[in-house]
Amino acid sequence: MKIPLILFCFLSLARWSPAESGVGQKGWLIPPFGNSGDTAEIRVRTTIFKVKGREIPMSLLEQPAPQDEALFLRLAAMAANGQAELAADQHFSTPHGRELRMEAMKEFPYPTEYERRGTEMLPASVEFRLVGTSLVAELYAGDRSGTSGPSTGTAGRLILENIRGDQQRRVPVSLPDSPVDGVLLSPRFFTEKTTTAWRSGDTAHHLVSMFRAAETLHSPEEAHCFVFANASVPSTEKPVAGLPSDWRLHALTFRLPRDEGRALLDNPQNRNDAGLLASLLASSTADGNTRMHNHAILRINAGQRLTTREPAGERNPFDQHPASGTGEERTVPLGSQAESIEEYAYATESDLDFTPQSFEYRNLGRSFTATVLEASKSGTAVVEIRLQENSLVENKLWPEPDGISRSFVTRPQFVETAFEGTVRIAPGSVVCLGAATLPEEMTGLDSSGAEMEITFLKVTGSPAPGMEPTPPPRTEYEVFTLTAEDAAALRQVRGDFSKVEVLLADALEAGTAHSMEWAMLGTEETGKAFIKARMEHCFPTSVEWTQRGWLRPLSFDFRFCGPSLTILPDGAAGGPATSPRSPLNPVDTSQPGETQKPVTGVEFRHDVLLRMLPDTAALTAAADSGGKGGPLNVPVATIVNRAPPPPAVGGRIVSISEFHALPGIPEEQCWLVQVIRRR
């Protein structure tokens, strides 16, 4: 039976309706030009192109200034010739100061339960999901007298969202009595969303965001979405030229072998962030070990800070059910954000025949957020940057297939990396935001060892003479394992950090010491900042033998492992340990203005598994012991320390302590040394 697809079209206008803000909260935009009473309609056009390859994104890095109109015409010509895809093109008019919503949706059926018939997995029940495009616009025209803003200028917010469900994923399913594994076709839903804090003084098309298309996030074939918008008021007056405070921000992330990354960052010649970025760009295009992992673009206007009135609580794009927020309203800056998300479905329960019976969804993908905290003064501005990625490393099979019974369930292993911090930037700025080591298990099955992830922010343009902001210092935290003899030697020179560095370098070269974890932040002297990389390890906590003689896991638990480095603002260092905002803790408990408080502490945390997860033999032994085995203990060691800020130049030893049973570390290297430094 065919299930009809229903098309919904919806248009609304409201004076003060709550809408999604730049970071996804419910809120009300504060009129940027005041209540001028101007009721003129604003003409708006939004366009999305999708282009394969990396050539065009890379070319934008080299532009001396944004050339958005020329880029728009180029992509339009490519779309007309079939070299690019025109994903959306919307023309509409909206009254001054009114919120407009447009939706073009259809109901898409997808299976939520399956039943097994022979070797096939057939849908047993179906639910519906709305897919399509939606748009929210709340724009204001400048005062007609020109006293409150540009006479033909517009400001406000635009939100464009595109949800698709046109692909399926092949998921392996255990068929214990079959010579081959079964396949379950799971739906793939993709969400590509741009929220922009809009301000413009011309009638040109502006590139408001660029990001990797959601369906290619885990594919070797790259494609990027280019989102354009223009808004203008019909007028006989001459349009104002493009605002000089329209800045294009590039967020770039590289991954390379850990040792190569440390060598680059430790090289005194790479203290200049622009030179370091140039080296990584050259290496990534030379078929070396360096690869560009992510490249995204946001347009911001640094000349005026747009604000909203919003309730407490924040939506995180990786949360399946975002918090709407409670408590008193507050005034917060309006940010711009680009999201590229895939809803990943995975089975959480199965029957005695290992047929999946229920599913959960996890949002995978990337987000890039930029919020102007301090508007441009003398050519510089303070901007808060947030970057987050959730990814799937592998689907773990439990128990491990032995080639005979073929009985297993599939559980995904997820990885999250994130950065947040404030930086002072200007046109032409390049800032190394942070870096962290990634253990081998975080980088995928095809990896040959631990890697390092380095993140940059680049602003298109050339700085005015004398206006280039001073690059912020790099705050580093490192954990070493070393022998008792080396630990005793360190105690003797603890007060002289230059001697500490020499001793550690000699021990590393001699092989009697090992750099266990390292993280770095390159942010302002004020405000909270953090960087983290963690992996969600899953493993069965109890198992049983079925009547057919198959080993079946009954329940699973999780352990989150990996490093994080947090710079704490005033008021946070003396209280309990604060957790960086994450998908598991999406509520923002900070107060407005906290980002500009002086730094009073640094916190480093690293969770590490003390031994490998249970294998098939361990599960079998547990089940044999009493019919149902478990719970299986998987111990995790937590290395955590909170310290005062490092000195302006140099560093110090935070702690020296004895610690045994670390995985992969020689038994004689049972001493941990934690070091903090600033360069």
Side-chain angles (χ1 to χ4, degrees), residues 63 471 592:
Q63 288 186 346

Side-chain angles (χ1 to χ4, degrees), residues 106-278:
K106 66 178 180 180
E107 285 190 336
F108 185 86
Y110 65 98
T112 56
E113 294 183 6
Y114 296 82
E115 63 181 19
R116 177 182 170 187
R117 294 183 185 176
T119 60
E120 295 186 68
M121 306 295 296
L122 301 179
S125 65
V126 174
E127 291 186 4
F128 292 86
R129 170 70 186 272
L130 289 177
V131 298
T133 60
S134 66
L135 181 143
V136 177
E138 185 179 355
L139 298 174
Y140 292 78
D143 190 343
R144 305 305 294 169
S145 66
T147 59
S148 304
S151 60
T152 56
T154 55
R157 60 178 160 193
L158 292 169
I159 304 172
L160 293 83
E161 187 171 22
N162 184 28
I163 304 174
R164 306 189 315 281
D166 53 354
Q167 295 187 27
Q168 293 179 318
R169 172 184 283 106
R170 297 173 63 87
V171 179
V173 176
S174 174
L175 299 177
D177 53 359
S178 171
V180 296
D181 295 334
V183 174
L184 181 152
L185 296 179
S186 173
R188 301 180 69 186
F189 292 106
F190 306 108
T191 299
E192 293 158 347
K193 182 177 180 181
T194 294
T195 303
T196 180
W198 173 266
R199 186 167 182 253
S200 175
D202 57 29
T203 59
H205 297 88
H206 292 284
L207 178 67
V208 296
S209 71
M210 185 211 75
F211 50 87
R212 184 128 175 211
E215 69 271 19
T216 69
L217 287 174
H218 302 97
S219 168
E221 181 180 352
E222 292 188 30
H224 291 82
C225 294
F226 296 78
V227 182
F228 289 84
N230 75 345
S232 60
V233 179
S235 174
T236 58
E237 301 177 28
K238 185 178 179 180
V240 180
L243 297 173
S245 52
D246 287 342
W247 295 355
R248 179 188 291 170
L249 307 185
H250 297 259
L252 302 122
T253 301
F254 298 86
R255 286 188 177 181
L256 66 163
R258 170 180 169 152
D259 292 342
E260 292 184 22
R262 283 300 305 274
L264 277 173
L265 290 165
D266 292 343
N267 188 340
Q269 297 181 356
N270 289 327
R271 290 292 182 266
N272 180 284
D273 290 348
L276 178 60
L277 174 60

Side-chain angles (χ1 to χ4, degrees), residues 537-548:
H537 292 273
C538 71
F539 56 92
T541 56
S542 62
V543 295
E544 70 173 356
W545 288 107
T546 68
Q547 293 181 350
R548 304 178 70 173

Side-chain angles (χ1 to χ4, degrees), residues 461-485:
S462 301
M467 290 296 107
E468 175 66 25
T470 302
R474 299 176 186 171
T475 301
E476 300 179 7
Y477 201 103
E478 190 165 11
V479 179
F480 298 89
T481 62
L482 67 170
T483 62
E485 181 181 353

Side-chain angles (χ1 to χ4, degrees), residues 30 79 90 101 123 189 218 226 244 366 455 458 495 503 520 529 640:
I30 297 175
Q90 299 165 309
R101 290 175 176 263
F189 292 106
H218 302 97
F226 296 78
R366 299 168 182 170
T455 301
K458 178 177 181 178
L503 196 153
M520 180 271 287
V640 60

Side-chain angles (χ1 to χ4, degrees), residues 223-433:
H224 291 82
C225 294
F226 296 78
V227 182
F228 289 84
N230 75 345
S232 60
V233 179
S235 174
T236 58
E237 301 177 28
K238 185 178 179 180
V240 180
L243 297 173
S245 52
D246 287 342
W247 295 355
R248 179 188 291 170
L249 307 185
H250 297 259
L252 302 122
T253 301
F254 298 86
R255 286 188 177 181
L256 66 163
R258 170 180 169 152
D259 292 342
E260 292 184 22
R262 283 300 305 274
L264 277 173
L265 290 165
D266 292 343
N267 188 340
Q269 297 181 356
N270 289 327
R271 290 292 182 266
N272 180 284
D273 290 348
L276 178 60
L277 174 60
S279 298
L280 288 168
L281 285 171
S283 178
S284 66
T285 58
D287 298 327
N289 294 324
T290 301
R291 66 185 188 279
M292 183 183 290
H293 181 69
N294 186 31
H295 182 191
I297 292 175
L298 280 176
R299 174 184 183 264
I300 67 168
N301 185 276
Q304 179 181 5
R305 191 179 76 159
L306 301 178
T307 56
T308 62
R309 291 291 296 171
E310 309 198 352
E314 178 175 346
R315 188 188 76 83
N316 187 294
F318 298 95
D319 286 326
Q320 191 63 30
H321 301 288
S324 60
T326 58
E328 297 182 358
E329 294 178 2
R330 59 182 182 173
T331 300
V332 296
L334 177 66
S336 295
Q337 185 178 66
E339 304 172 25
S340 184
I341 305 295
E342 175 183 354
E343 294 181 29
Y344 182 82
Y346 61 98
T348 55
E349 294 182 7
S350 61
D351 63 14
L352 294 177
D353 289 331
F354 290 85
T355 302
Q357 294 296 298
S358 64
F359 291 81
E360 289 185 3
Y361 283 85
R362 178 71 65 90
N363 285 348
L364 307 179
R366 299 168 182 170
S367 71
F368 173 26
T369 306
T371 306
V372 177
L373 301 181
E374 181 183 308
S376 178
K377 295 179 180 178
S378 303
T380 67
V382 176
V383 180
E384 180 187 66
I385 301 296
R386 297 181 186 177
L387 293 159
Q388 183 170 338
E389 177 179 4
N390 284 23
S391 59
L392 172 71
V393 176
E394 65 169 315
N395 275 306
K396 190 76 175 178
L397 306 182
W398 294 103
E400 298 169 352
D402 57 11
I404 300 176
S405 66
R406 309 193 68 83
S407 57
F408 62 86
V409 296
T410 303
R411 298 292 292 195
Q413 309 276 82
F414 297 111
V415 167
E416 177 196 3
T417 58
F419 166 85
E420 179 180 329
T422 59
V423 290
R424 182 174 293 276
I425 57 175
S429 291
V430 175
V431 180
C432 182
L433 298 175

